[in-house]
């Protein structure tokens, strides 16, 4: 696939047409306040993994609505004092998988908390363990249109709230340092990292790779690849609901969260990415509300982005900040 989006010089100045709802901040303040009425109840159960260099905990905490959400906390085995902490969110369709598949950050000396994704975890990887107990109306297969009729019922309201609570859960462990907490993720996980960066005011760093869930007006009309195409297929059947759906999506657009980001940020984009077109990534990066920001651009890559090269870049970048 050749490059299909805007030229790089135009990407660096591109702005989204997504319109922020007037009550955006009030909506999210209310959502988080309601979830915090439930005790976080973060529990850390040791897991026997037969790994000698790390210690792993099976984590359960209360996410949106008090619903139990799973995760893994992985620590270097010799940790004895609070460590800088990396909270990771997972790509679309994946779950937390198995502990031995998450060794990078603990091997670099960080505490690593990976959040399971409610209702997902059956498309790739090692599976997930967190159900989504909330019902929804008619939806196209996938997660993009579940409850899309209204912002209050939309699936990502629950998932984004889980992400904020995951940061709180990670920070509650005695061997994590709340003042040195970063959030990372790729694709859907990258989009969620941007959301966390906008909703958690005191993060130390944010590193989203080829992030999903940004600039919905452009993404849903530029690419016909899933998951964005799920929205188009829903509207193809439910004619006349375009304005209603766009209103809902405006509350969940990563562009609006990015404008509230205050932590140093390292983004990545791939210029042949048909899943998360580069203009949608730059739409969030260009409005990120912190001057200490950078974006790695991979000219001839699709949605795999920088892969292991970007991992090496993030290791260097985070080490310089922690």
């Amino acid at each position: 696939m050749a490059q299909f989006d805007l030229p790089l010089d135009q990407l660096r100045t591109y702005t989204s047409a997504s319109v922020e709802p007037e009550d955006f901040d009030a909506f999210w303040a209310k959502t988080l306040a309601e979830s915090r009425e439930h005790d976080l109840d973060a529990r850390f159960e040791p897991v026997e993994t037969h790994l000698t260099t790390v210690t792993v905990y099976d984590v359960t905490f209360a996410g949106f609505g008090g619903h139990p959400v799973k995760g893994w906390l992985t620590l270097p085995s010799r940790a004895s004092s609070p460590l800088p902490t990396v909270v990771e969110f997972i790509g679309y369709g994946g779950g937390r998988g198995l502990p031995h598949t998450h060794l990078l950050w603990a091997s670099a000396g960080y505490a690593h908390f990976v959040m399971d994704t409610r209702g997902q975890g059956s498309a790739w990887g090692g599976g997930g363990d967190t159900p989504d107990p909330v019902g929804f109306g008619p939806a196209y297969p996938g997660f993009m249109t579940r409850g899309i009729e209204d912002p209050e019922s939309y699936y990502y309201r629950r998932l984004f709230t889980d992400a904020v609570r995951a940061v709180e859960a990670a920070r509650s462990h005695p061997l994590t340092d709340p003042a040195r907490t970063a959030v990372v993720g790729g694709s859907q996980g990258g989009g969620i990292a941007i959301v966390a960066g906008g909703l958690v005011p005191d993060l130390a760093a944010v590193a989203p790779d080829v992030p999903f869930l940004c600039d919905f007006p452009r993404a849903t009309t530029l690419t016909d690849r899933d998951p964005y195409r799920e929205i188009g297929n829903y509207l193809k059947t439910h004619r006349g609901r375009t304005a209603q759906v766009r209103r809902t999506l405006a509350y969940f657009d990563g562009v609006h969260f990015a404008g509230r980001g205050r932590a140093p940020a390292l983004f990545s984009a791939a210029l042949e990415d048909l899943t998360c077109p580069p203009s949608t990534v730059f739409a969030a990066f260009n409005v990120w509300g912190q001057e200490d920001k950078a974006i790695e651009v991979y000219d001839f890559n699709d949605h795999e982005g920088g892969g292991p090269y970007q991992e090496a870049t993030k290791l260097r970048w985070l080490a310089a900040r922690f």
Side-chain angles (χ1 to χ4, degrees):
M1 176 65 202
Q3 295 177 11
F4 66 98
D5 206 339
L6 300 172
L8 183 57
D9 60 339
Q10 294 181 32
L11 290 173
R12 294 194 185 279
T13 59
Y14 170 75
T15 57
S16 172
S18 184
V19 177
E20 182 181 304
E22 292 183 1
D23 63 340
F24 182 88
D25 289 318
F27 174 85
W28 283 106
K30 173 177 175 289
T31 296
L32 295 178
E34 289 175 352
S35 280
R36 288 178 177 134
E37 291 176 359
H38 303 273
D39 187 350
L40 182 63
D41 192 26
R43 287 164 282 156
F44 301 86
E45 301 293 335
V47 177
E48 177 54 72
T49 62
H50 302 286
L51 300 171
T52 60
T53 61
V54 297
T55 301
V56 180
Y57 296 90
D58 183 354
V59 185
T60 308
F61 65 93
F64 177 90
H67 305 153
V69 178
K70 301 295 288 183
W72 299 121
L73 176 65
T74 304
L75 303 170
S77 59
R78 297 182 183 274
S80 59
S81 59
L83 299 171
T85 302
V86 174
V87 179
E88 183 175 3
F89 307 111
I90 303 300
Y92 193 80
R96 66 172 181 166
L98 301 176
H100 66 266
T101 62
H102 303 288
L103 298 179
L104 176 67
W105 293 108
S107 298
Y110 299 94
H112 179 223
F113 187 103
V114 58
M115 184 190 83
D116 203 19
T117 308
R118 65 166 60 219
Q120 299 189 32
S122 296
W124 56 271
D129 298 295
T130 304
D132 182 13
V134 178
F136 50 87
Y140 187 82
F143 306 93
M144 292 303 297
T145 64
R146 295 187 178 190
I148 203 169
E149 300 86 359
D150 188 273
E152 295 280 339
S153 61
Y154 192 40
Y155 168 80
Y156 280 96
R157 180 177 181 237
R158 303 189 289 281
L159 184 53
F160 289 177
T161 302
D162 292 347
V164 173
R165 299 287 272 172
V167 173
E168 295 170 357
R171 286 173 157 176
S172 73
H173 193 278
L175 289 179
T176 65
D177 182 354
R180 294 183 294 168
T181 303
V183 293
V184 305
S187 192
Q188 175 183 256
I192 299 172
I194 291 172
V195 170
L199 292 178
V200 181
D202 58 348
L203 291 171
V206 178
D209 292 324
V210 291
F212 181 46
L213 304 166
C214 297
D215 195 5
F216 283 113
R218 182 165 177 83
T220 54
T221 56
L222 182 61
T223 181
D224 60 2
R225 185 183 284 181
D226 286 339
Y228 284 121
R229 187 57 200 166
E230 293 176 22
I231 297 169
N233 286 333
Y234 173 89
L235 291 172
K236 183 178 180 180
T237 301
H238 297 283
R239 299 164 178 83
R241 295 189 183 179
T242 300
Q244 180 183 6
V245 165
R246 285 179 175 169
R247 174 183 177 273
T248 293
L249 292 174
Y251 287 90
F252 303 91
D253 198 318
V255 170
H256 306 317
F257 295 97
R260 291 161 171 79
R262 294 295 178 266
L266 176 66
F267 282 61
S268 70
L271 298 189
E272 295 187 1
D273 189 346
L274 283 169
T275 301
C276 297
S279 57
T280 68
V281 176
F282 274 91
F285 174 77
N286 290 340
V287 298
W288 186 261
Q290 158 69 263
E291 291 184 2
D292 183 3
K293 63 181 182 179
I295 185 166
E296 294 290 316
V297 177
Y298 296 93
D299 297 10
F300 292 96
N301 288 91
D302 195 343
H303 196 50
E304 76 282 0
Y309 292 87
Q310 184 64 14
E311 289 179 337
T313 298
K314 285 187 292 187
L315 285 167
R316 291 192 298 271
W317 184 79
L318 270 183
R321 279 152 182 80
F322 288 162

